[in-house]
Amino acid sequence: MLALLAAVPVPLVALGTAAPAEAQRRVVGGSAVSTADHPWIVALSSRQQFGSGRSGQFCGGALVTPTKVVTAAHCFYDEARGRVDRPGLKVIVGRDDMRGTSGREVAVRSVWIHPDYSFAANMNDVAVLTLAESQGALPVVELVGQGETEPYAAGTTTQVYGWGDTTGRGDYSPVLRGVSVPVVPDQVCAQAYPGGQDGRFDARGMVCAGEERGGKDACQGDSGGPMIVDGRLVGLVSWGTGCAEAAHPGVYTRVSSVADAVRSVL
Ligand code: 4AZ
């Protein structure tokens, strides 16, 4: 899947301005997959902000009820302005290839950001979108339970999906891709991200995944997209240093830490 740049720990959405730093690790070794097999995977779109070439896609998300999409809070923030509007925000369902028009673009009625979301600390990086029209015909994905730990055991195989950068050079994928990455032990991730330049990992609200030697990862544009274990939503693409680099696993929102808060708005 995707992958992008910057040796900075900032969580970014698909910025459009790719500034490939030194981190060019090639993608992130995933492969094309279809929304036909994962109909609850959605794209967030703002054609006005990001252009129509790729349907305005800038983040991913997951349908958890016929009217609610779970994604990352940081999809609605930027470095310069903090909380930002995404003009003409839509949720796109049933479209594998963002160059096309299959599926549907659904209007968003409201955006809920976790009340304790911290852009600076990347904590509680979760948002819930309410759709203007119910997607009653589509399957939804089940959320992991509050406080569950088993899906986060080190070495657990997860699947991560998105339309993000595949090379670390701003090459956003036109098609949905998926990759399998193992959960990294919390202590290892804490060493990878001790704070400062590389950001701080906090296991209370985050989980890391990736191969020790890198090569598979989520990246810019994948933000908010689902991390799945045993068919349940356990993580959301959140942040990391570069993409697919050895010793810098991807960091995901630990959905079990925000599941009750999310459920309270479903
Ligand atoms: C981002 O900028 C981003 N490699 C997402 C995921 C990762 C890095 C950056 C993880 O949205």
Side-chain angles (χ1 to χ4, degrees):
M1 337 197 5
L2 10 332
L4 179 35
L5 50 82
V8 263
V10 289
L12 316 167
V13 181
L15 299 195
T17 54
E22 62 272 1
Q24 53 263 23
R25 279 332 159 134
R26 251 98 316 142
V27 179
V28 198
S31 58
V33 301
S34 175
T35 58
D37 296 322
H38 314 285
W40 40 266
I41 300 177
V42 306
L44 309 194
S45 151
S46 168
R47 290 173 180 274
Q48 281 147 267
Q49 189 158 8
F50 299 102
S52 279
R54 293 176 61 267
S55 297
Q57 185 274 337
F58 68 95
C59 269
L63 198 62
V64 297
T65 80
T67 56
K68 304 286 185 180
V69 166
V70 172
T71 183
H74 85 261
C75 292
F76 300 92
Y77 280 74
D78 79 25
E79 203 73 31
R81 296 176 291 163
R83 176 76 163 91
V84 290
D85 189 33
R86 298 299 187 196
L89 177 64
K90 299 279 197 300
V91 163
I92 304 181
V93 302
R95 183 173 301 167
D96 293 350
D97 189 332
M98 288 295 142
R99 296 167 297 193
T101 57
S102 64
R104 328 171 46 183
E105 299 190 4
V106 185
V108 174
R109 176 169 293 160
S110 59
V111 177
W112 172 89
I113 304 281
H114 193 293
D116 299 322
Y117 171 57
S118 168
F119 181 74
N122 301 315
M123 273 300 273
N124 301 304
D125 188 8
V126 62
V128 176
L129 314 185
T130 300
L131 303 180
E133 307 159 59
S134 174
Q135 304 302 304
L138 286 180
V140 299
V141 67
E142 189 185 333
L143 284 172
V144 70
Q146 180 75 28
E148 276 194 52
T149 57
E150 197 193 305
Y152 303 97
T156 300
T157 298
T158 74
Q159 276 82 43
V160 177
Y161 301 97
W163 287 268
D165 189 352
T166 62
T167 63
R169 296 187 295 267
D171 298 314
Y172 295 97
S173 180
V175 298
L176 178 63
R177 297 177 70 82
V179 67
S180 287
V181 276
V183 172
V184 168
D186 289 341
Q187 328 72 274
V188 171
C189 201
Q191 285 165 359
Y193 297 112
Q197 180 102 4
D198 279 332
R200 182 181 305 283
F201 173 75
D202 187 336
R204 291 174 302 176
M206 305 172 191
V207 60
C208 283
E211 305 275 5
E212 257 176 52
R213 53 195 62 213
K216 294 163 123 198
D217 199 4
C219 201
Q220 267 202 335
D222 291 324
S223 288
M227 166 191 265
I228 301 295
V229 171
D230 291 337
R232 294 192 302 163
L233 184 65
V234 306
L236 306 170
V237 176
S238 183
W239 62 282
T241 293
C243 299
E245 296 183 23
H248 285 119
V251 189
Y252 298 79
T253 308
R254 189 179 293 247
V255 173
S256 65
S257 72
V258 293
D260 278 353
V262 166
R263 276 202 191 83
S264 75
V265 297
L266 297 184

